[in-house]
Amino acid sequence: MTLLLPASDGTLRAHTPNPAPRVFPPGPPPVSRTVLAAAHVVADPRADPAGPPAVDWEATLAFRRHLWSYGLGVAEAMDTAQRGMGLDWPTAAELIRRSAAEAKAVGGELVCGVGTDQLPDPPARRAPDPARRGRHALDAVRRAYAEQLALVEEAGARPVLMASRALAAAARGPEDYLAVYGELLRQSATPVVLHWLGPMFDPALQGYWGSADPDRATDTLLELIAAHPGRVDGVKISLLDAEREREVRRRLPAGVRCYTGDDFHYPELIAGDSEGFSHALLGVLDPLAPVAADALRALDAGDTAGFRERLDPTVPLARHLFAPPTRYYKTGVVLLAWLAGHQRHFTLVGGLQSARSLPHLARAYTLADGLGLLPDPELAQARMRALLTVYGVDA
């Protein structure tokens, strides 16, 4: 049956659902790349969106088992899980503990985000005088990081040192980043993944690493890594700038991995070039896990062309999900999890399901359906029709 879906120009356009979804069998982890899917959390739809975050733990952990079944690792408690956008630190800590226990039970790879979100968010607008910056003293930022690092290590997971709004507000220059991160690297019991998250994902991170000049910021990041040999497993680059990522990748010391966080250019960056390739830590792998696993099997077999043939067609969907304001990509990710049958409802922590327009959601549905990513087309169609009804659209 055809659906009439709203377009951004105000018209309704007919869409006939794909009757033949693709079948992607589960399988072991890839061997040619380390691939981590940043996973969303399933909210409790009965909770007050203005109250403390409430998570449906059973559905949330079931989704992680889905990712592990396709051989992907899980990046837990990252921005895809709404860190800093509805998920507070106590809930994130519980998520880390539960996911770590689940990972041990199934033998799944797990990394977990380490941040400073115990601290209140700094003011949205920074004071123009650098001497007045720093609502949170650097020592407080360091202690917040250290508390989370200890919890992740105690859980048995590999830490990802996430970008910190509090550090961005408190730091007066590159030397403060070097001092805070240096202490954390010395403290960590295992090599960590550093995370450079661009302001398109979080405007409060403008000028991270002590400069708005990306060349100077890159130099500071590389100086940090060089000063602590053996302490950094890799760097996740989330700037949506493929050439910047390639530059960082080329300049990394031997043994330090580049994890692409570029949800616009991931096929070419993972495939690589004559000077190297990127591993992956991506939010877009949340909805793309089955097709990504299939593509990685081709890459493992040395079939780079086959890898690109499988993964390149997913890029329009990724670019749509991560369209500006990019930080609201979680809404589309959860929509697709609902349409694919991984959860019973389309609700996000903090009511974030309202962050995207109905035409945006409708386009996400048609793109995913066209790729054959919705395993039960009739279920997806029925749920999309119900959503349209809620919005007053007669489909």
Side-chain angles (χ1 to χ4, degrees):
M1 294 177 63
T2 297
L3 283 174
L4 293 177
L5 299 173
S8 57
D9 61 4
T11 63
L12 293 175
R13 298 180 184 175
H15 174 75
T16 301
N18 183 352
R22 299 171 68 186
V23 177
F24 301 100
V31 296
S32 58
R33 305 288 189 273
T34 299
V35 180
L36 304 160
H40 75 280
V41 293
V42 181
D44 181 346
R46 301 162 296 182
D48 180 357
V55 174
D56 181 336
W57 294 112
E58 181 179 351
T60 293
L61 294 176
F63 189 77
R64 278 126 184 89
R65 292 192 293 270
H66 157 74
L67 295 173
W68 283 318
S69 75
Y70 283 97
L72 304 187
V74 170
E76 188 57 276
M78 303 285 290
D79 54 297
T80 304
Q82 295 183 243
R83 288 292 291 273
M85 292 188 69
L87 197 76
D88 60 14
W89 168 237
T91 311
E94 181 66 15
L95 177 63
I96 289 167
R97 293 187 190 99
R98 289 176 181 251
S99 290
E102 200 75 19
K104 291 174 185 175
V106 304
E109 184 171 6
L110 182 72
V111 302
C112 294
V114 170
T116 62
D117 43 343
Q118 311 96 309
L119 305 174
D121 274 342
R125 302 179 70 114
R126 295 175 174 173
D129 180 3
R132 297 175 57 198
R133 293 173 70 177
R135 171 173 172 175
H136 306 297
L138 291 175
D139 280 346
V141 173
R142 188 184 299 108
R143 287 194 300 271
Y145 263 132
E147 177 190 349
Q148 296 197 15
L149 177 61
L151 184 142
V152 168
E153 291 184 334
E154 182 180 350
R158 185 153 41 110
V160 180
L161 295 185
M162 300 192 300
S164 163
R165 293 172 184 167
L167 180 55
R172 293 179 172 84
E175 64 282 355
D176 288 339
Y177 287 88
L178 294 172
V180 170
Y181 277 98
E183 180 62 30
L184 294 167
L185 291 177
R186 287 187 289 271
Q187 172 186 335
S188 178
T190 57
V192 309
V193 177
L194 300 175
H195 188 187
W196 187 358
L197 189 69
M200 68 290 295
F201 288 94
D202 187 342
L205 301 177
Q206 181 70 42
Y208 212 73
W209 301 112
S211 177
D213 179 345
D215 291 333
R216 294 180 62 189
T218 297
D219 290 342
T220 300
L221 172 63
L222 293 171
E223 179 183 348
L224 172 69
I225 296 169
H228 300 278
R231 309 306 299 165
V232 178
D233 167 79
V235 182
K236 170 175 157 60
I237 308 293
S238 298
L239 301 176
L240 305 183
D241 181 341
E243 190 48 48
R244 174 65 51 183
E245 179 173 322
R246 290 189 188 96
E247 180 194 349
V248 174
R249 190 171 74 191
R250 287 191 295 265
R251 296 174 62 188
L252 286 174
V256 177
R257 299 186 247 197
C258 180
Y259 292 90
T260 187
D262 188 329
D263 301 278
F264 284 5
H265 307 99
Y266 52 95
E268 64 188 82
L269 291 165
I270 297 171
D273 53 33
S274 61
E275 296 184 304
F277 59 82
S278 294
H279 301 273
L281 198 168
L282 289 162
V284 77
L285 292 177
D286 181 302
L288 295 185
V291 67
D294 185 57
L296 287 159
R297 292 188 193 109
L299 194 60
D300 284 349
D303 183 5
T304 302
F307 169 80
R308 296 294 298 270
E309 287 169 5
R310 290 165 171 79
L311 209 55
D312 282 359
T314 67
V315 171
L317 171 61
R319 287 178 173 264
H320 178 72
L321 294 176
F322 286 78
T326 300
R327 61 190 181 276
Y328 294 131
Y329 74 89
K330 296 90 168 171
T331 301
V333 165
V334 173
L335 171 81
L336 296 183
W338 176 54
L339 295 179
H342 293 298
Q343 55 190 80
R344 297 178 294 104
H345 57 81
F346 175 43
T347 308
L348 278 78
V349 171
L352 202 64
Q353 68 273 9
S354 65
R356 292 293 201 185
S357 69
L358 183 60
H360 179 94
L361 301 177
R363 181 61 176 157
Y365 162 63
T366 60
L367 288 169
D369 182 57
L371 291 168
L373 290 176
L374 305 175
D376 185 341
E378 291 186 4
L379 174 67
Q381 181 188 21
R383 288 184 168 183
M384 195 66 208
R385 191 183 298 278
L387 183 64
L388 293 170
T389 299
V390 168
Y391 277 81
V393 176
D394 184 2

